[in-house]
Amino acid sequence: MRRACFTLLCLCVGASASAAEVVDRVDPENKGAGFDRTRMRVGGFVQPRFVSTQEDEAAGVPGELGFQVARARLEFTTLRSQSDDPEELGAQVRTTTSIELMPEARLVDAFIDLSARPLLNVRLGQFKTPTSRTLLVSDKDTALPERAGLDELGPRRQIGAMLHGADPKNIVEYGIGAFNGEGTNRLGNVNRKLLTAARVAVSPWGGPGTQSELLDPEVPATATLGYSIYSNVDGPEGAEEASISHNGELFAHYRWVSLQAELLWRFSDWQPVELADFNSLAWYAQGASFVPGVPWADEHLAVLGRVERADPFIAIDQTVPLVGPTDPAQGRQIVTAGLGLYASDPWFKRAQDLRLQVLYSVHTELEDRPYDDDQLVVAGHMSF
């Protein structure tokens, strides 16, 4: 049974591999002064999938039936540290670069981390803003193939600077930064106004930190409460849109079960008085659980589910009708359920590194403009 399931996973996502430590050396002539240790790692991940989305001719929705490569990512990390012991505290300089290859090559992350202590780090470059838990988790470590719709209402990756850190037991995590607010791969800030963002998360018993949405069963129990806020002014003078967003988060893990939920509220104010000011509201609750009490399945087979709602446009002072059922301003609810198959030990160090997930999502439009758009996804993933 193990061999058959593992073979199925490999057929979906390719031959197994692991991240390579291509450089790991210590300078004996510089020992005790400056940066003694130099390390470089090369890795990434690939996410192929099959997608079937309902067709609705009356609503003008063609649906979809076919295969995709959702992401193909290359990641490069270098580390210069004062000690030849990677666990020893001391000054460090870390660089991270990631490149997305689908549908074309583009820069995703490019930043430098200057570290004095675990609680005191400065990050400079292009990276994720500290605006929600699900955003900060890597694409290779989400519980479901895609994040909830709440993620689409935030600023995601930006160019800027951030002070961040966590204590050694990850009881407290924080991040506070300023960014251009223009998105990724831009040459500069066009409106001389900055996006500011901050997040704090507290785990009373400590834990692995904000690393994954599905932890392995042997990871000790942990729970986290967090809060994020950001504000931004976007657009040219005379047509600016000012927004402020609040985000609350909850994460809990015990043995086989990992639970997560977030709630976001955003207020947007247009400078032109003829445009409608509006609120945005979104939330989700999701869970993933390996099958307890069943040999092999308690480490390799998981039940997955999520309920989410998002209404990106709730007009405050005006009535703004939808232009059709597919109007992105329409509120939506999505209920998703499925199963995940994970290679895990002894083939991979973590369950998330090689997986195959089958999920079905029921989409409900909340403003009396329904159409058929339910979706079946068979998603593979391999980290290397």
Side-chain angles (χ1 to χ4, degrees):
M1 179 65 177
R2 287 189 179 189
R3 184 170 298 175
C5 291
F6 179 61
T7 301
L8 177 61
L9 280 168
C10 287
L11 288 174
C12 290
V13 294
S16 66
S18 59
E21 191 96 48
V22 295
V23 175
D24 188 356
R25 66 173 183 264
V26 177
D27 184 357
E29 297 182 359
N30 202 37
K31 188 171 180 61
F35 294 124
D36 298 334
R37 189 182 185 100
T38 301
R39 305 174 71 185
M40 179 177 178
R41 294 178 63 86
V42 177
F45 57 90
V46 179
Q47 295 181 337
R49 63 187 57 171
F50 170 80
V51 177
S52 175
T53 306
Q54 286 182 301
E55 178 185 12
D56 191 327
E57 294 183 359
V61 177
E64 183 176 2
L65 178 67
F67 298 91
Q68 303 175 354
V69 176
R71 297 175 186 87
R73 192 80 48 85
L74 294 178
E75 301 173 326
F76 308 88
T77 302
T78 65
L79 175 67
R80 300 293 301 274
S81 58
Q82 283 187 310
S83 170
D84 61 359
D85 181 357
E87 302 301 326
E88 185 175 320
L89 297 178
Q92 297 181 345
V93 178
R94 182 189 303 270
T95 66
T96 298
T97 304
S98 64
I99 301 171
E100 176 59 48
L101 302 178
M102 289 295 294
E104 68 279 323
R106 64 185 185 277
L107 185 66
V108 177
D109 294 298
F111 60 85
I112 300 172
D113 265 322
L114 308 175
S115 304
R117 289 291 186 270
L119 269 173
L120 185 59
N121 306 271
V122 177
R123 180 170 294 181
L124 307 166
Q126 179 170 290
F127 51 91
K128 294 179 178 180
T129 58
T131 48
S132 75
R133 182 183 184 92
T134 192
L135 171 67
L136 294 176
V137 171
S138 170
D139 289 306
K140 63 187 175 186
D141 289 318
T142 56
L144 281 72
E146 296 296 332
R147 297 177 175 87
L150 174 146
D151 176 62
E152 300 176 3
L153 299 179
R156 297 180 178 176
R157 287 176 170 87
Q158 296 283 340
I159 299 174
M162 178 174 70
L163 186 67
H164 69 103
D167 66 281
K169 293 184 178 181
N170 285 313
I171 293 176
V172 176
E173 298 176 73
Y174 78 95
I176 180 169
F179 307 86
N180 286 344
E182 306 295 338
T184 59
N185 302 332
R186 303 292 295 270
L187 296 179
N189 188 16
V190 301
N191 64 359
R192 298 181 59 85
K193 296 182 180 180
L194 298 177
L195 180 154
T196 57
R199 171 181 179 260
V200 62
V202 178
S203 306
W205 306 288
T210 307
Q211 294 183 350
S212 178
E213 294 183 351
L214 174 60
L215 299 179
D216 289 358
E218 64 270 17
V219 175
T222 185
T224 303
L225 284 172
Y227 168 75
S228 307
I229 183 173
Y230 83 83
S231 63
N232 189 32
V233 177
D234 195 15
E237 182 65 34
E240 294 178 344
E241 178 190 4
S243 60
I244 183 168
S245 175
H246 303 271
N247 187 94
E249 65 180 67
L250 169 66
F251 178 82
H253 164 77
Y254 178 73
R255 300 290 296 276
W256 306 279
V257 181
S258 296
L259 302 175
Q260 183 168 307
E262 293 191 75
L263 172 66
L264 176 145
W265 178 85
R266 185 181 71 182
F267 168 70
S268 296
D269 179 16
W270 284 99
Q271 188 176 20
V273 295
E274 66 272 14
L275 297 179
D277 298 336
F278 63 96
N279 294 326
S280 302
L281 181 66
W283 62 266
Y284 72 88
Q286 69 184 39
S289 176
F290 290 97
V291 181
V294 180
W296 188 86
D298 60 358
E299 294 182 346
H300 300 275
L301 183 65
V303 179
L304 311 168
R306 179 167 67 208
V307 178
E308 59 175 292
R309 282 198 176 203
D311 194 340
F313 186 86
I314 305 172
I316 298 174
D317 298 322
Q318 303 180 34
T319 300
V320 182
L322 299 175
V323 298
T326 60
D327 191 325
Q330 179 167 208
R332 289 175 170 83
Q333 173 182 283
I334 304 175
V335 179
T336 302
L339 294 173
L341 182 64
Y342 303 82
S344 195
D345 185 70
W347 300 292
F348 283 78
K349 292 182 179 180
R350 304 180 315 134
Q352 288 278 64
D353 287 343
L354 182 59
R355 62 184 186 260
L356 176 68
Q357 298 172 311
V358 181
L359 300 111
Y360 191 81
S361 299
V362 177
H363 296 235
T364 303
E365 287 67 46
L366 302 177
E367 299 181 39
D368 298 324
R369 300 297 298 271
Y371 65 101
D372 295 331
D373 58 340
D374 295 348
Q375 186 177 76
L376 170 69
V377 175
V378 182
H381 170 96
M382 187 188 74
S383 298
F384 58 86

